[in-house]
Amino acid sequence: MRKRRARELTKRWLLLVLVCGSFLFAFLYPLPETKSSVHTVVILTVGNDRKLDDLHRLARDTVFSNTRSARISAQVLVYEGKFRPWFNTSTADDATVVQASREVERLRYGSHSFELFSGIYGASVKPRALRWLTQPDQAWIDFGWIIEPDVVFTGSWQTLFEKYESDSSDLIAFNTTFRYSNKTAWNHWPSCTYCRGLPNWCKQSALLPAFRISRNFAAAAVAHLSTSTRSSGHHEAFLPTFLTVNSDTFSFRDLGPDVAYMRWRPAFDFDAVPRLAPIRRDALYHPVKSLEMYRNLSQASLEA
Ligand SMILES: *[C@@H]1O[C@H](CO)[C@@H](O)[C@H](O)[C@H]1NC(C)=O
Ligand SMILES: *[C@@H]1O[C@H](CO)[C@@H](O)[C@H](O)[C@H]1NC(C)=O
Ligand SMILES: *[C@@H]1O[C@H](CO)[C@@H](O)[C@H](O)[C@H]1NC(C)=O
Ligand SMILES: *[C@@H]1O[C@H](CO)[C@@H](O)[C@H](O)[C@H]1NC(C)=O
């Protein structure tokens, strides 16, 4: 009898020591995830227009500068055409360089999906950027900012990245659905085979020279496009429309408040666009096609 009681007591003590010990251990060695659990990367997409190389190089240095302290976990440059040494020889940062090719993307997406999705110039950098994001090696990433080199942010890009750091939207993009006009007849919609038969309210458009996308949403979009042979659309029609159709799963936030000038054309230039309004600080301008204009806009933010 006594022996059994003694054994019971020992068991209870052991249990108590075990429970207290685990608490103490958890207190002394907290899991590393508690520090920062959201991982965001910045992806710059560089086309093959060598005449714009100086501009693109300036954009690269500007967009990639100081991003590390803004909890940007990686900097990626996706390019089409010939490799240029300036892609990754800067000592100030270390960028991952990814090559994009029209032949490969056409194969991966299928030709119907690729031709519509890539847009009127057939560029492969954005389809490649999205596909890179969804690869198994990149499973640790939550969000990617995808940026063209002809976009100026009049301030530190870090300000923009930090603004949306705790926002979990799957797509943060400039909503142009009814922004400039009633776009129900927008030329990308009749050609959007995915949009056919959808109610009009689902048909959305967004200008995408700079946007943030979640890896989950990118994966769903890439999966749809690469498995269907007749359901695609220009990326600026397809992505916001596909999201709206699946809005029980994914969310869309308008980047409008951060945009000062964003159009397809004309390019932002003091000649083409009279200086009607003062340059806005911490705002996006697109397209900027000259080195001088890029510099002036970037510097304007310092003076303002
Ligand atoms: C730059 O990128 C190229 C192509 O990806 C690679 O071969 C080279 O090693 C890289 N250089 C540095 C300094 O990272
Ligand atoms: C846009 O135009 C279409 C076709 O003319 C019309 O049916 C629709 O009501 C318009 N929408 C808005 C918001 O003006
Ligand atoms: C985008 O704009 C359309 C048209 O005004 C609107 O219906 C839609 O809710 C907007 N979406 C977002 C996320 O702002
Ligand atoms: C850029 O700024 C300089 C100096 O302020 C000015 O002389 C030049 O005209 C500006 N260029 C453009 C394209 O506005």
Side-chain angles (χ1 to χ4, degrees):
M1 274 300 263
R2 222 181 246 169
K3 253 191 188 166
R4 226 169 95 188
R5 261 193 75 186
R7 237 187 281 147
E8 275 308 310
L9 265 174
T10 320
K11 255 195 205 162
R12 279 185 203 172
W13 270 108
L14 268 176
L15 198 71
L16 192 72
V17 168
L18 213 70
V19 169
C20 292
S22 330
F23 273 113
L24 192 69
F25 187 82
F27 176 74
L28 291 175
Y29 304 99
L31 289 174
E33 276 95 311
T34 52
K35 261 196 276 169
S36 168
S37 50
V38 177
H39 294 105
T40 306
V41 301
V42 174
I43 306 174
L44 190 75
T45 53
V46 176
N48 193 28
D49 193 346
R50 302 294 289 274
K51 288 193 297 295
L52 295 174
D53 249 20
D54 288 339
L55 172 68
H56 291 175
R57 185 177 188 163
L58 174 63
R60 176 212 182 283
D61 291 343
T62 309
V63 173
F64 284 172
S65 70
N66 296 319
T67 43
R68 270 197 213 135
S69 52
R71 282 184 239 145
I72 291 298
S73 309
Q75 299 166 335
V76 184
L77 187 146
V78 178
Y79 73 99
E80 198 175 68
K82 259 191 106 175
F83 177 84
R84 280 91 92 191
W86 57 263
F87 286 166
N88 64 350
T89 43
S90 166
T91 48
D93 57 67
D94 45 358
T96 301
V97 177
V98 176
Q99 188 179 25
S101 104
R102 296 177 186 212
E103 292 70 35
V104 172
E105 295 316 306
R106 186 184 302 274
L107 269 174
R108 298 299 171 92
Y109 280 88
S111 56
H112 176 85
S113 286
F114 177 74
E115 249 150 57
L116 286 178
F117 186 68
S118 60
I120 50 172
Y121 305 111
S124 63
V125 282
K126 268 186 205 153
R128 179 72 185 102
L130 290 178
R131 221 167 46 72
W132 179 86
L133 200 56
T134 63
Q135 282 169 352
D137 282 359
Q138 270 64 256
W140 58 278
I141 299 172
D142 299 290
F143 300 107
W145 277 99
I146 301 185
I147 297 167
E148 287 176 9
D150 59 352
V151 187
V152 177
F153 185 73
T154 53
S156 167
W157 280 92
Q158 196 171 317
T159 309
L160 183 70
F161 302 150
E162 276 175 1
K163 179 176 174 185
Y164 293 105
E165 213 173 40
S166 53
D167 186 310
S168 60
S169 301
D170 293 283
L171 183 68
I172 302 178
F174 188 40
N175 182 356
T176 48
T177 307
F178 285 142
R179 200 143 234 146
Y180 296 123
S181 60
N182 180 347
K183 287 278 195 76
T184 308
W186 187 41
N187 56 355
H188 291 317
W189 280 339
S191 69
C192 175
T193 46
Y194 172 73
C195 306
R196 280 179 198 158
L198 290 180
N200 271 343
W201 66 268
C202 284
K203 297 180 187 170
Q204 303 278 316
S205 71
L207 269 179
L208 301 174
F211 65 106
R212 200 194 74 174
I213 191 167
S214 70
R215 183 174 182 273
N216 286 340
F217 178 54
V222 171
H224 175 90
L225 291 166
S226 57
T227 54
S228 66
T229 52
R230 51 177 80 89
S231 175
S232 181
H234 189 288
H235 57 280
E236 294 183 335
F238 177 82
L239 288 176
T241 301
F242 183 68
L243 188 144
T244 303
V245 169
N246 295 288
S247 53
D248 49 343
T249 314
F250 302 114
S251 53
F252 178 12
R253 184 176 175 128
D254 188 9
L255 191 58
D258 305 286
V259 168
Y261 181 93
M262 194 177 275
R263 283 165 183 266
W264 179 51
R265 62 154 88 108
F268 188 84
D269 202 298
F270 289 140
D271 292 334
V273 182
R275 208 200 273 256
L276 293 173
I279 298 301
R280 238 177 83 191
R281 201 196 166 104
D282 292 338
L284 293 160
Y285 287 77
H286 167 274
V288 174
K289 292 294 185 190
S290 79
L291 194 63
E292 196 191 10
M293 198 62 232
Y294 195 107
R295 274 210 194 95
N296 277 26
L297 273 178
S298 302
Q299 283 162 9
S301 75
L302 302 176
E303 291 153 15

